Amino acid sequence: MATLLGPDIPVRPATPAPAATPAPAATPAAAVTHRPSEGSVHSWDLSTGVDGPGTRFVTFLSGCPLTCLYCHNPDTWRMRNGRRTSADDVIAEASKYVRFISASGGGATVSGGEPLLQPVFTGELLHRMKHELGLHTALDTSGFLGVRATDALLRDTDLVLLDIKSWDPETYRKVTGRPLKPTLDFARRLADLGQDVHVRFVLVPGLTDDPANVEGVAAFAGGLGNVSRVDVLPFHKLGEAKWQALDMPFTLHDTPSPTPEQVATVREVFRSHGLHAV
């Protein structure tokens, strides 16, 4: 029964407001940009064995601050040469292969170029690959732009594939055109976080094969405590045609690939520091 306010004004009980619908959780990119995330994408592909464990959906982003002498994808150096692509499109493509990837014990890898040149887009992809598609996630990086990787991005990263191209600063600069210290700082940060890391080291005769250089990388990686694997990768010239197509001089044209014996010797150096080297 309604009560009266004054002599004749009824006051009726208020109708309860409908329960609020919880807002969907914002992805890292949405929280930063307040709009759908887009990035410059070179390509994507299914890969086995070289971009993390199992069969993986690999997104190659465009843009890289390094100019490595042996780079086999120099066509990824400039962001403007990529396709402007939404995270929705990448996730939709990856979703087609989830059952196949999961059955192989694989996952998704964001590579490049250098994915941390586009940290918001990279964070969006890793977050959604992990939480929407349920995939193991990997970040393939030189570590040079490691300061751009937020803690949130790294929480969404199950594995970091970290290229340590040299221990000697002069050799590192000769190989990449950049200083070594940012990569080492990032490696130490990953160790402090307990992040699982696979180190990659490219063995180039006459460039990175100096015993002191190899020993330096091995001792550093062995002392971190979080490196579960080291890939010693023999230099090859499979990307030379891309350099030619871009009218860029390939200065390692006359450099031979290392012999199997040379590769085995370097692997043993890493193993002597307690590392699983392959």
Side-chain angles (χ1 to χ4, degrees):
M1 178 178 178
T3 59
L4 294 178
L5 181 63
D8 56 4
I9 303 175
V11 178
R12 301 190 179 279
T15 302
T21 302
T27 62
V32 172
T33 64
H34 306 292
R35 62 179 183 274
S37 180
E38 291 186 340
S40 179
V41 175
H42 175 268
S43 58
W44 51 61
D45 200 2
L46 287 179
S47 170
T48 302
V50 296
D51 297 289
T55 299
R56 307 188 72 82
F57 183 87
V58 186
T59 309
F60 298 94
L61 304 190
S62 291
C64 185
L66 275 54
T67 53
C68 296
L69 297 179
Y70 50 71
C71 181
H72 57 275
N73 287 318
D75 50 327
T76 66
W77 286 0
R78 295 176 175 84
M79 285 183 62
R80 65 175 180 268
N81 291 341
R83 287 184 297 113
R84 200 71 186 165
T85 306
S86 71
D88 287 343
D89 286 344
V90 177
I91 297 302
E93 185 66 21
S95 68
K96 301 175 184 178
Y97 309 101
V98 166
R99 293 181 65 181
F100 174 66
I101 290 171
S102 299
S104 76
T109 299
V110 183
S111 185
E114 172 51 65
L116 292 179
L117 195 62
Q118 303 180 64
V120 173
F121 186 59
T122 294
E124 175 88 348
L125 294 180
L126 290 167
H127 182 87
R128 295 181 64 179
M129 294 287 188
K130 184 178 182 70
H131 296 285
E132 290 184 23
L133 302 186
L135 294 175
H136 175 276
T137 55
L139 172 69
D140 184 2
T141 177
S142 71
F144 179 73
L145 297 177
V147 293
R148 296 191 179 189
T150 64
D151 287 348
L153 182 153
L154 293 175
R155 283 194 296 270
D156 288 329
T157 303
D158 296 309
L159 172 67
V160 176
L161 306 172
L162 181 63
D163 292 330
I164 302 182
K165 302 171 190 294
S166 174
W167 178 251
D168 174 64
E170 291 185 11
T171 301
Y172 192 92
R173 186 176 287 278
K174 181 177 180 180
V175 170
T176 71
R178 295 289 188 172
L180 169 63
K181 186 177 182 296
T183 292
L184 301 185
D185 289 345
F186 185 54
R188 294 184 183 102
R189 177 185 170 201
L190 295 175
D192 290 342
L193 293 172
Q195 190 96 33
D196 188 18
V197 170
H198 288 185
V199 165
R200 288 172 162 174
F201 175 73
V202 180
L203 181 62
V204 186
L207 188 61
T208 65
D209 62 340
D210 182 270
N213 188 52
V214 174
E215 173 66 22
V217 176
F220 177 74
L224 291 172
N226 63 323
V227 177
S228 59
R229 170 173 167 147
V230 176
D231 289 288
V232 178
L233 304 175
F235 163 72
H236 61 73
K237 292 181 277 192
L238 298 180
E240 184 173 4
K242 291 185 178 181
W243 288 73
Q244 295 172 347
L246 294 168
D247 197 25
M248 296 165 52
F250 187 67
T251 59
L252 301 182
H253 172 75
D254 295 324
T255 301
S257 295
T259 66
E261 292 77 17
Q262 289 173 314
V263 175
T265 297
V266 169
R267 286 176 178 151
E268 285 304 318
V269 175
F270 281 96
R271 289 168 185 159
S272 73
H273 288 274
L275 296 162
H276 174 59
V278 296

